Coordinates of all heavy atoms in Angstrom, one line a residue:
M1 N 121.8 98.2 98.4 CA 121.5 99.5 98.0 C 120.1 100.0 98.5 O 120.1 101.0 99.2 CB 121.6 99.6 96.5 CG 121.6 101.0 96.0 SD 122.1 100.9 94.2 CE 122.4 102.6 94.0
P2 N 119.0 99.2 98.3 CA 117.8 99.7 98.9 C 117.8 99.5 100.4 O 118.3 98.5 100.9 CB 116.7 98.7 98.3 CG 117.4 97.8 97.4 CD 118.9 98.1 97.4
Q3 N 117.3 100.5 101.1 CA 117.4 100.5 102.5 C 116.1 100.5 103.2 O 116.0 100.4 104.4 CB 118.3 101.7 103.0 CG 119.7 101.6 102.5 CD 120.4 102.9 102.9 OE1 120.0 103.8 103.6 NE2 121.7 103.0 102.4
G4 N 115.0 100.7 102.5 CA 113.7 100.9 103.1 C 113.2 99.5 103.6 O 113.5 98.5 103.2
E5 N 112.2 99.7 104.6 CA 111.6 98.5 105.2 C 110.5 98.0 104.2 O 109.7 98.8 103.7 CB 110.9 98.9 106.5 CG 110.3 97.8 107.2 CD 109.7 98.2 108.5 OE1 110.2 99.2 109.1 OE2 108.8 97.6 109.0
K6 N 110.4 96.8 104.0 CA 109.5 96.2 103.0 C 108.2 95.6 103.6 O 107.4 95.1 102.9 CB 110.2 95.1 102.2 CG 111.5 95.5 101.5 CD 111.3 96.6 100.5 CE 112.6 96.8 99.7 NZ 113.0 98.2 99.8
S7 N 108.0 95.8 104.9 CA 106.9 95.2 105.5 C 105.6 95.9 105.1 O 104.5 95.3 105.2 CB 107.0 95.3 107.0 OG 107.0 96.6 107.5
K8 N 105.6 97.1 104.6 CA 104.4 97.8 104.2 C 103.9 97.4 102.8 O 102.8 97.8 102.4 CB 104.6 99.3 104.2 CG 104.9 99.8 105.5 CD 103.7 100.1 106.3 CE 104.1 100.8 107.6 NZ 103.0 100.9 108.5
Y9 N 104.7 96.6 102.1 CA 104.3 96.2 100.8 C 103.4 95.0 100.8 O 103.6 94.1 101.7 CB 105.6 95.9 99.9 CG 106.3 97.1 99.6 CD1 107.4 97.6 100.4 CD2 106.0 97.8 98.4 CE1 108.1 98.7 100.0 CE2 106.7 99.0 98.1 CZ 107.7 99.4 98.9 OH 108.4 100.5 98.6
T10 N 102.5 94.9 99.9 CA 101.6 93.7 99.8 C 102.4 92.5 99.2 O 103.5 92.7 98.6 CB 100.4 94.0 98.9 OG1 100.8 94.2 97.6 CG2 99.6 95.2 99.4
D11 N 101.8 91.3 99.4 CA 102.5 90.1 98.8 C 102.6 90.3 97.3 O 103.6 89.9 96.7 CB 101.7 88.9 99.2 CG 101.8 88.5 100.6 OD1 102.8 89.0 101.3 OD2 100.9 87.8 101.1
K12 N 101.6 90.8 96.7 CA 101.6 91.0 95.2 C 102.8 91.9 94.8 O 103.5 91.6 93.8 CB 100.3 91.6 94.7 CG 100.3 91.8 93.2 CD 98.9 92.4 92.8 CE 98.9 92.6 91.3 NZ 97.7 93.2 90.8
Q13 N 103.0 93.0 95.5 CA 104.1 93.9 95.2 C 105.4 93.3 95.4 O 106.3 93.5 94.6 CB 104.0 95.2 96.1 CG 102.8 96.1 95.7 CD 102.6 97.2 96.7 OE1 102.7 97.0 97.9 NE2 102.4 98.4 96.2
K14 N 105.6 92.4 96.4 CA 106.8 91.7 96.7 C 107.1 90.7 95.5 O 108.2 90.6 95.1 CB 106.8 91.0 98.0 CG 106.8 92.0 99.2 CD 106.6 91.2 100.5 CE 106.5 92.2 101.7 NZ 106.2 91.5 102.9
R15 N 106.1 90.0 95.1 CA 106.2 89.1 94.0 C 106.6 89.8 92.7 O 107.5 89.4 91.9 CB 105.0 88.3 93.7 CG 104.7 87.2 94.7 CD 103.6 86.3 94.3 NE 102.4 87.0 93.9 CZ 101.3 87.3 94.6 NH1 101.4 87.1 95.9 NH2 100.3 87.9 94.1
Q16 N 106.0 91.0 92.5 CA 106.3 91.8 91.3 C 107.8 92.2 91.3 O 108.5 92.1 90.3 CB 105.4 93.0 91.2 CG 104.0 92.7 90.8 CD 103.1 94.0 90.8 OE1 103.4 94.9 91.6 NE2 102.1 94.0 90.0
A17 N 108.2 92.7 92.4 CA 109.6 93.2 92.6 C 110.6 92.0 92.3 O 111.6 92.2 91.7 CB 109.8 93.8 94.0
E18 N 110.3 90.8 92.9 CA 111.1 89.7 92.7 C 111.2 89.3 91.2 O 112.3 89.0 90.7 CB 110.6 88.5 93.5 CG 111.5 87.3 93.5 CD 110.9 86.2 94.3 OE1 110.3 86.5 95.4 OE2 111.1 85.0 94.0
H19 N 110.1 89.3 90.5 CA 110.0 89.0 89.1 C 110.8 90.0 88.2 O 111.6 89.6 87.4 CB 108.6 88.9 88.6 CG 108.4 88.5 87.2 ND1 108.7 87.2 86.8 CD2 108.1 89.2 86.1 CE1 108.5 87.1 85.5 NE2 108.1 88.3 85.0
I20 N 110.6 91.2 88.5 CA 111.3 92.3 87.8 C 112.8 92.2 88.1 O 113.6 92.3 87.1 CB 110.8 93.7 88.3 CG1 109.4 93.9 87.8 CG2 111.7 94.8 87.7 CD1 108.7 95.0 88.5
E21 N 113.2 91.9 89.3 CA 114.6 91.8 89.7 C 115.3 90.6 88.9 O 116.4 90.8 88.3 CB 114.8 91.5 91.1 CG 116.2 91.4 91.6 CD 116.3 91.1 93.1 OE1 115.3 91.3 93.8 OE2 117.4 90.7 93.5
E22 N 114.6 89.5 88.8 CA 115.1 88.4 88.0 C 115.3 88.7 86.5 O 116.3 88.3 85.9 CB 114.1 87.2 88.1 CG 114.1 86.5 89.4 CD 113.0 85.4 89.5 OE1 112.3 85.2 88.5 OE2 112.9 84.9 90.6
G23 N 114.4 89.5 86.0 CA 114.5 90.0 84.6 C 115.8 90.8 84.4 O 116.5 90.6 83.4
Y24 N 116.0 91.7 85.3 CA 117.2 92.5 85.2 C 118.5 91.7 85.3 O 119.5 91.9 84.6 CB 117.2 93.6 86.3 CG 116.4 94.8 85.9 CD1 115.4 95.3 86.8 CD2 116.6 95.6 84.8 CE1 114.6 96.4 86.5 CE2 115.9 96.7 84.4 CZ 114.9 97.1 85.3 OH 114.1 98.2 85.0
E25 N 118.5 90.7 86.3 CA 119.7 89.9 86.5 C 119.9 89.0 85.2 O 121.1 88.8 84.9 CB 119.5 89.0 87.7 CG 119.6 89.7 89.0 CD 119.3 88.9 90.2 OE1 119.0 87.7 90.0 OE2 119.4 89.4 91.3
N26 N 118.9 88.6 84.6 CA 119.0 87.8 83.3 C 119.7 88.6 82.2 O 120.3 88.1 81.3 CB 117.7 87.3 82.8 CG 117.2 86.2 83.7 OD1 117.9 85.5 84.5 ND2 115.9 85.9 83.7
R27 N 119.5 90.0 82.3 CA 120.1 90.8 81.3 C 121.5 91.3 81.7 O 122.1 92.1 81.0 CB 119.2 92.1 81.1 CG 117.9 91.8 80.5 CD 117.1 93.1 80.3 NE 115.7 92.7 80.5 CZ 114.8 93.5 80.9 NH1 115.2 94.8 81.3 NH2 113.6 93.2 81.1
G28 N 122.0 90.8 82.8 CA 123.4 91.1 83.2 C 123.6 92.2 84.2 O 124.7 92.7 84.4
V29 N 122.5 92.7 84.7 CA 122.6 93.8 85.7 C 123.0 93.2 87.1 O 122.5 92.2 87.5 CB 121.2 94.5 85.9 CG1 121.3 95.6 86.9 CG2 120.8 95.1 84.5
P30 N 124.0 93.8 87.8 CA 124.4 93.3 89.1 C 123.2 93.2 90.1 O 122.2 93.9 90.0 CB 125.4 94.3 89.6 CG 125.9 95.1 88.4 CD 124.7 95.0 87.4
K31 N 123.3 92.2 91.0 CA 122.2 91.9 91.9 C 121.7 93.2 92.7 O 120.5 93.4 92.8 CB 122.7 90.9 92.9 CG 121.8 90.6 94.0 CD 121.1 89.2 93.9 CE 120.3 88.9 95.1 NZ 118.9 88.9 94.8
D32 N 122.6 94.0 93.3 CA 122.2 95.1 94.0 C 121.5 96.1 93.2 O 120.4 96.7 93.6 CB 123.4 95.8 94.7 CG 124.0 95.0 95.8 OD1 123.3 94.1 96.3 OD2 125.1 95.3 96.2
E33 N 122.0 96.4 92.0 CA 121.4 97.3 91.1 C 120.0 96.8 90.6 O 119.0 97.5 90.5 CB 122.3 97.6 89.9 CG 121.7 98.5 88.8 CD 121.6 100.0 89.3 OE1 122.3 100.3 90.3 OE2 120.8 100.7 88.7
A34 N 119.9 95.5 90.3 CA 118.7 94.9 89.9 C 117.6 95.0 91.0 O 116.4 95.4 90.7 CB 118.9 93.4 89.5
E35 N 118.0 94.8 92.2 CA 117.0 95.0 93.3 C 116.5 96.4 93.4 O 115.3 96.7 93.6 CB 117.7 94.5 94.6 CG 116.7 94.5 95.8 CD 117.3 94.0 97.1 OE1 118.5 93.7 97.1 OE2 116.6 93.9 98.1
A36 N 117.4 97.3 93.4 CA 117.1 98.8 93.5 C 116.1 99.2 92.3 O 115.1 99.8 92.6 CB 118.3 99.6 93.4
R37 N 116.4 98.7 91.1 CA 115.6 99.0 90.0 C 114.2 98.4 90.1 O 113.2 99.0 89.8 CB 116.2 98.6 88.7 CG 117.4 99.4 88.3 CD 117.9 98.9 86.9 NE 119.1 99.5 86.5 CZ 119.7 99.3 85.3 NH1 119.1 98.5 84.4 NH2 120.8 99.8 85.0
A38 N 114.2 97.2 90.6 CA 112.9 96.5 90.8 C 112.0 97.2 91.7 O 110.8 97.4 91.4 CB 113.1 95.0 91.2
W39 N 112.5 97.6 92.9 CA 111.7 98.3 93.9 C 111.3 99.7 93.4 O 110.2 100.2 93.6 CB 112.4 98.4 95.2 CG 112.3 97.0 95.9 CD1 113.3 96.2 96.1 CD2 111.1 96.4 96.4 NE1 112.8 95.0 96.8 CE2 111.5 95.2 97.0 CE3 109.8 96.8 96.5 CZ2 110.5 94.3 97.6 CZ3 108.9 96.0 97.1 CH2 109.2 94.7 97.6
A40 N 112.2 100.3 92.6 CA 111.8 101.6 92.0 C 110.7 101.5 91.1 O 109.8 102.3 91.0 CB 113.1 102.3 91.4
T41 N 110.7 100.4 90.3 CA 109.6 100.2 89.3 C 108.3 99.9 90.0 O 107.3 100.4 89.7 CB 110.0 99.0 88.4 OG1 111.2 99.3 87.8 CG2 108.9 98.7 87.4
V42 N 108.3 99.1 91.1 CA 107.1 98.8 91.9 C 106.6 100.1 92.5 O 105.4 100.4 92.4 CB 107.4 97.8 93.0 CG1 106.2 97.7 93.9 CG2 107.7 96.4 92.4
N43 N 107.5 101.0 93.0 CA 107.0 102.2 93.6 C 106.4 103.2 92.5 O 105.4 103.8 92.8 CB 108.2 102.9 94.3 CG 108.6 102.3 95.6 OD1 107.8 101.7 96.2 ND2 109.8 102.4 96.0
K44 N 107.0 103.2 91.3 CA 106.5 104.0 90.2 C 105.1 103.5 89.8 O 104.2 104.4 89.6 CB 107.5 103.9 89.1 CG 107.0 104.8 87.9 CD 107.9 104.5 86.7 CE 107.6 103.2 86.1 NZ 108.1 102.8 84.8
N45 N 104.9 102.2 89.7 CA 103.6 101.7 89.3 C 102.5 101.8 90.3 O 101.4 102.1 89.9 CB 103.8 100.2 88.8 CG 104.6 100.1 87.6 OD1 104.8 101.0 86.8 ND2 105.2 98.9 87.4
D46 N 102.9 101.6 91.6 CA 101.8 101.5 92.6 C 101.9 102.7 93.6 O 101.0 102.7 94.5 CB 102.0 100.2 93.4 CG 101.6 99.0 92.5 OD1 100.9 99.2 91.6 OD2 102.1 97.9 92.8
G47 N 102.8 103.5 93.6 CA 102.9 104.6 94.5 C 103.4 104.3 95.9 O 103.2 104.9 96.8
G48 N 104.2 103.2 96.0 CA 104.8 102.8 97.2 C 104.1 101.7 97.9 O 103.2 101.1 97.4
G49 N 104.5 101.4 99.1 CA 104.0 100.3 99.9 C 102.6 100.6 100.4 O 102.2 101.7 100.7
K50 N 101.7 99.6 100.4 CA 100.3 99.8 100.8 C 99.9 98.6 101.7 O 100.2 97.5 101.4 CB 99.4 99.8 99.6 CG 99.7 100.9 98.7 CD 98.7 100.8 97.5 CE 99.1 101.9 96.5 NZ 98.8 101.6 95.1
Q51 N 99.3 98.9 102.8 CA 98.7 97.9 103.6 C 97.4 97.4 103.0 O 96.6 98.3 102.5 CB 98.4 98.4 105.0 CG 99.7 98.6 105.9 CD 100.3 97.2 106.3 OE1 100.5 96.3 105.4 NE2 100.7 97.1 107.5
P52 N 97.2 96.1 102.9 CA 96.0 95.7 102.2 C 94.7 96.0 103.0 O 94.8 96.0 104.2 CB 96.1 94.2 102.1 CG 97.2 93.8 103.1 CD 98.0 95.1 103.3
G53 N 93.6 96.4 102.3 CA 92.4 96.7 103.0 C 92.3 98.1 103.5 O 93.2 98.8 103.7
G54 N 91.0 98.5 103.6 CA 90.8 99.8 104.3 C 90.8 101.0 103.2 O 91.4 100.9 102.2
S55 N 90.2 102.1 103.6 CA 90.2 103.2 102.8 C 91.3 104.2 103.0 O 91.4 105.2 102.3 CB 88.8 104.0 103.0 OG 88.8 104.5 104.3
G56 N 92.1 103.9 104.0 CA 93.2 104.8 104.4 C 92.8 105.8 105.4 O 93.6 106.6 105.8
R57 N 91.5 105.9 105.8 CA 91.1 106.8 106.8 C 91.2 106.2 108.2 O 90.9 105.1 108.4 CB 89.7 107.3 106.6 CG 89.5 108.1 105.3 CD 88.1 108.5 105.1 NE 88.1 109.4 104.0 CZ 87.5 110.7 104.1 NH1 87.0 111.1 105.2 NH2 87.5 111.4 103.0
K58 N 91.6 107.0 109.2 CA 91.7 106.6 110.5 C 90.3 106.5 111.1 O 89.5 107.3 111.0 CB 92.5 107.6 111.3 CG 92.9 107.1 112.7 CD 93.8 108.1 113.4 CE 94.2 107.6 114.7 NZ 95.1 108.6 115.4
K59 N 90.1 105.4 111.9 CA 88.8 105.2 112.5 C 88.7 105.9 113.8 O 89.7 106.0 114.6 CB 88.6 103.7 112.7 CG 88.4 102.9 111.5 CD 88.0 101.5 111.7 CE 87.9 100.8 110.4 NZ 87.6 99.4 110.6
D60 N 87.6 106.5 114.1 CA 87.3 107.2 115.3 C 87.2 106.2 116.5 O 86.5 105.2 116.4 CB 86.0 108.0 115.2 CG 85.9 109.1 116.3 OD1 86.9 109.3 116.9 OD2 84.8 109.6 116.4
S61 N 88.0 106.5 117.5 CA 88.0 105.5 118.7 C 87.0 106.0 119.7 O 87.4 106.5 120.8 CB 89.4 105.4 119.2 OG 89.8 106.7 119.6
K62 N 85.7 105.7 119.5 CA 84.7 106.1 120.5 C 84.2 104.9 121.2 O 84.1 103.8 120.8 CB 83.5 106.7 119.8 CG 83.8 108.1 119.3 CD 82.5 108.7 118.7 CE 82.8 110.2 118.3 NZ 81.7 110.8 117.7

């Protein structure tokens, strides 16, 4: 179900999604649905994937 690329997520966000997914599966939610809900929760909490470090501003190439 989830189709986005996960390379932009930090290791912490990936661990959180895995932990959340396990919780949903323990409650009987199907694997695909659990994964989709887990990533939706990570996105809700953190605002999406983030590359670690930096202020987000592009550096001037002088």
Side-chain angles (χ1 to χ4, degrees):
M1 195 167 193
Q3 298 176 2
E5 185 179 333
K6 304 296 187 241
S7 65
K8 298 276 185 190
Y9 289 92
T10 63
D11 289 337
K12 180 180 177 182
Q13 289 172 315
K14 291 175 184 177
R15 286 192 309 272
Q16 285 175 333
E18 186 177 326
H19 183 73
I20 293 166
E21 182 180 346
E22 288 174 4
Y24 278 125
E25 288 176 358
N26 289 340
R27 293 183 213 147
V29 176
K31 173 108 175 108
D32 290 344
E33 179 68 20
E35 184 178 3
R37 288 186 188 184
W39 283 109
T41 302
V42 170
N43 286 335
K44 180 187 74 169
N45 291 339
D46 290 337
K50 297 177 183 152
Q51 286 288 46
S55 64
R57 293 183 173 233
K58 188 174 182 181
K59 292 186 180 179
D60 196 13
S61 59
K62 286 185 179 178

